[in-house]
């Protein structure tokens, strides 16, 4: 495809959204400004920002019947399974979205997705732990609202922590788009048939779930926890030999990237965010963080990783931050999906408004049998 949304120079370790470096956006803008930028193409001015915030925050509630739908799931269902189902179900709640050629329908579907995703992620989490649902509160910022819906209870006032809110907001920004990765290509391919945007995004969520993609931070944290429980820093050398041994089947999760053959710029920002969050929570000596830093140091000096240009990716530290923010491990990918929704819907809009838009069809190289006769079973 042709796209004007995100640019990556993997050799230089550069990531731009609409021309702006991710480092600037992560420091100078909040996530909703980044959403505006990705979807509309420019950063909002002050009044556009207020108007957009107001629009998004007045679409945060989900249809009350969504709760009945939710109750059909087992309580121990993986939150990504629930999220895929609930986003797919949104087409049933907003049948007008089937008119994908209407600019009005395109835009309102985008706003609904960006606005309702935090509510749906929080709903599935509260359901899994059996706590009452917390409704959105529209005078909060997008990220404050998400934190409150996740962690407040009706029994006491919820106190926001600015450092933790900023960290979560930055996680959203760092994951908002990443050009034609597996889930984004899935959204484009699925959406290319003219299906509803909700169905296309549900396909993207299903793709994101896997451990080679959005599930990598969950896999990375599990790896660090396992290593910590089995010898910690003293076993790092042995562990590194294992990940270098092709027969072991083990990989250093959170390392390597299909596009970045240099530092993933998001990984540096994530490491800095990790320090800020652990400092705020008095967890500077967190053994998992120390282990991650020890692994990173060894890997960056090891010939195996240097020759293959394997550097930490965004997931190497994001699991540690999410854990410190109290996000349960199996909901990590839901947070990623929440953040990536704006990227997916921006790419979908770009595709369907392209004058040359047509259904996608990947090409194959046929390697099978030549034409042959199919005989009745008695003659085979
Ligand atoms: N640990 C050990 N070795 C690795 C790793 C790793 N994490 N990643 C790649 N390698 C090795 C491969 O074994 C291969 O070695 P070889 O040339 O001797 O055969 C070489 O480096 C190239 O690896 P490929 O798998 O061909 O690289 P590819 O670009 O296909 O893979 C991927 C990229 C899937 C991300 C890979 O690096 C990986 O599995 N990393 C761990 C999972 C992970 O962190 N995924 C998150 C990606 S970022 C995201 O989705 C947000």
């Amino acid at each position: 495809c042709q796209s004007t949304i995100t640019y990556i120079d993997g050799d230089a370790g550069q990531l731009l959204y609409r021309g702006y470096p991710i480092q600037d956006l992560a420091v100078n803008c909040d996530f909703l400004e980044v959403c505006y930028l990705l979807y509309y193409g420019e950063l909002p001015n002050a009044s556009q920002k207020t108007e957009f915030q107001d629009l998004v925050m007045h679409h945060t509630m989900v249809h009350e019947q969504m709760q009945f739908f939710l109750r059909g799931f087992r309580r121990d269902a993986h939150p990504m399974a629930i999220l895929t189902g609930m986003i797919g179900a949104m087409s049933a709640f907003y049948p007008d979205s089937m008119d994908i050629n209407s600019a009005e329908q395109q835009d309102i579907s985008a706003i609904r997705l960006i606005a309702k995703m935090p509510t749906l992620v929080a709903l599935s989490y509260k359901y899994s732990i059996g706590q009452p649902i917390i409704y959105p509160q529209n005078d909060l910022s997008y990220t404050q609202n998400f934190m409150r819906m996740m962690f407040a209870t009706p029994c006491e006032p919820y106190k926001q922590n600015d450092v933790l809110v900023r960290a979560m907001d930055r996680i959203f920004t760092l994951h908002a788009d990443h050009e034609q990765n597996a889930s984004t290509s899935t959204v484009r391919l699925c959406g290319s048939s003219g299906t509803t945007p909700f169905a296309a995004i549900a396909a993207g969520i299903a793709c994101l779930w896997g451990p080679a993609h959005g599930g990598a931070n969950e896999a990375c944290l599990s790896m660090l926890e396992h290593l910590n429980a089995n010898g910690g820093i003293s076993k790092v050398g042995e562990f590194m030999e294992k990940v270098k041994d092709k027969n072991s089947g083990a990989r250093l999760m959170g390392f390597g990237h299909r596009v970045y053959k240099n530092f993933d710029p998001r990984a540096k920002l994530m490491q800095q965010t990790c320090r800020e969050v652990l400092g705020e929570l008095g967890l500077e000596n967190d053994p998992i963080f120390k282990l991650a830093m020890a692994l990173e140091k060894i890997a960056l000096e090891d010939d195996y990783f240097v020759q293959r240009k394997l550097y930490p990716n965004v997931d190497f530290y994001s699991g540690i931050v999410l854990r410190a923010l109290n996000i349960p491990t199996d909901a990590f990918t839901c947070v990623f999906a929440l953040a990536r929704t704006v990227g997916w819907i921006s790419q979908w809009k770009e595709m369907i408004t392209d004058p040359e838009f047509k259904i996608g069809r990947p090409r194959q190289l046929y390697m099978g049998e030549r034409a042959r006769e199919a005989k009745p079973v008695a003659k085979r």
Side-chain angles (χ1 to χ4, degrees):
C1 65
Q2 289 188 357
S3 182
T4 59
I5 301 174
T6 292
Y7 174 77
I8 304 174
D9 181 338
D11 292 323
Q14 186 184 43
L15 168 61
L16 311 176
Y17 292 165
R18 302 278 190 188
Y20 294 109
I22 189 71
Q23 292 87 337
D24 292 356
L25 295 169
V27 173
N28 297 329
C29 304
D30 66 26
F31 177 62
L32 271 194
E33 290 172 74
V34 171
C35 289
Y36 189 101
L37 171 69
L38 287 170
Y39 192 72
Y40 298 111
E42 293 296 340
L43 280 170
N45 61 28
S47 66
Q48 288 166 329
K49 181 180 170 175
T50 310
E51 206 179 308
F52 184 65
Q53 161 111 9
D54 198 56
L55 182 65
V56 170
M57 296 314 289
H58 282 89
H59 283 86
T60 49
M61 274 204 296
V62 295
H63 198 290
E64 200 64 7
Q65 264 177 277
M66 199 54 112
Q67 289 189 31
F68 299 115
F69 187 69
L70 185 71
R71 282 184 207 148
F73 288 103
R74 284 169 55 129
R75 280 203 190 271
D76 59 356
H78 195 286
M80 281 298 277
I82 299 181
L83 200 60
T84 315
M86 288 204 296
I87 296 291
M90 277 175 79
S91 314
F93 289 96
Y94 304 106
D96 291 353
S97 68
M98 284 178 214
D99 184 6
I100 59 153
N101 296 317
S102 148
E104 195 191 338
Q105 285 304 326
Q106 292 162 7
D107 293 348
I108 195 64
S109 295
I111 296 296
R112 282 180 176 140
L113 278 159
I114 295 167
K116 294 181 199 304
M117 200 65 171
T119 315
L120 291 171
V121 172
L123 263 179
S124 58
Y125 172 58
K126 288 295 195 194
Y127 177 72
S128 73
I129 58 171
Q131 280 190 5
I133 284 155
I134 302 291
Y135 283 90
Q137 191 175 311
N138 293 347
D139 59 352
L140 296 176
S141 77
Y142 184 85
T143 305
Q144 283 174 333
N145 182 49
F146 174 62
M147 298 290 266
R148 184 177 165 276
M149 288 191 295
M150 287 290 286
F151 303 119
T153 68
C155 319
E156 56 194 19
Y158 178 69
K159 208 166 167 293
Q160 300 278 352
N161 177 318
D162 292 345
V163 175
L164 305 190
V165 169
R166 198 168 58 240
M168 182 58 87
D169 197 80
R170 186 174 285 179
I171 288 181
F172 293 161
T173 293
L174 297 182
H175 288 86
D177 195 50
H178 213 227
E179 54 115 307
Q180 306 315 314
N181 53 83
S183 58
T184 303
S185 309
T186 301
V187 169
R188 279 186 177 257
L189 188 57
C190 180
S192 78
S193 72
T195 188
T196 82
F198 301 110
I201 302 295
I205 294 175
C207 175
L208 185 75
W209 190 356
H213 192 8
N217 54 10
E218 186 177 336
C220 179
L221 186 65
S222 305
M223 171 192 83
L224 292 170
E225 282 173 341
H226 182 77
L227 186 56
N228 187 46
N230 291 281
I233 298 225
S234 67
K235 293 282 180 187
V236 162
E238 202 178 296
F239 177 73
M240 290 304 262
E241 288 312 309
K242 196 168 139 201
V243 296
K244 290 192 284 182
D245 174 8
K246 291 277 173 330
N247 299 322
S248 75
R251 282 197 166 195
L252 181 56
M253 298 311 285
F255 252 75
H257 197 277
R258 179 57 62 82
V259 182
Y260 293 115
K261 300 303 169 196
N262 195 328
F263 245 93
D264 175 344
R266 303 168 302 170
K268 286 187 183 162
L269 289 156
M270 197 58 85
Q271 197 203 50
Q272 184 192 329
T273 306
C274 196
R275 275 184 203 286
E276 284 168 18
V277 167
L278 297 179
E280 172 68 14
L281 298 172
L283 298 171
E284 294 89 344
N285 293 322
D286 178 50
I288 303 281
F289 183 53
K290 291 209 151 152
L291 198 51
M293 287 200 302
L295 281 174
E296 178 184 344
K297 188 168 183 304
I298 294 173
L300 292 178
E301 288 165 1
D302 189 301
D303 261 2
Y304 174 95
F305 290 89
V306 174
Q307 274 168 15
R308 290 169 180 78
K309 299 187 175 171
L310 301 170
Y311 291 87
N313 60 49
V314 66
D315 291 320
F316 195 62
Y317 288 101
S318 67
I320 303 175
V321 183
L322 289 169
R323 185 183 66 133
L325 294 176
N326 264 336
I327 303 288
T329 314
D330 63 358
F332 284 3
T333 321
C334 295
V335 172
F336 190 161
L338 185 171
R340 184 56 59 84
T341 294
V342 65
W344 288 328
I345 199 68
S346 303
Q347 301 262 353
W348 171 83
K349 163 109 176 169
E350 183 178 65
M351 177 186 69
I352 58 164
T353 51
D354 181 340
E356 289 179 20
F357 161 60
K358 56 183 175 188
I359 188 166
R361 189 181 175 98
R363 293 184 62 189
Q364 69 161 14
L365 184 59
Y366 179 68
M367 306 289 282
E369 299 288 346
R370 288 175 183 277
R372 52 187 172 156
E373 190 189 352
K375 295 184 179 141
V377 69
K379 295 196 176 164
R380 268 176 246 153

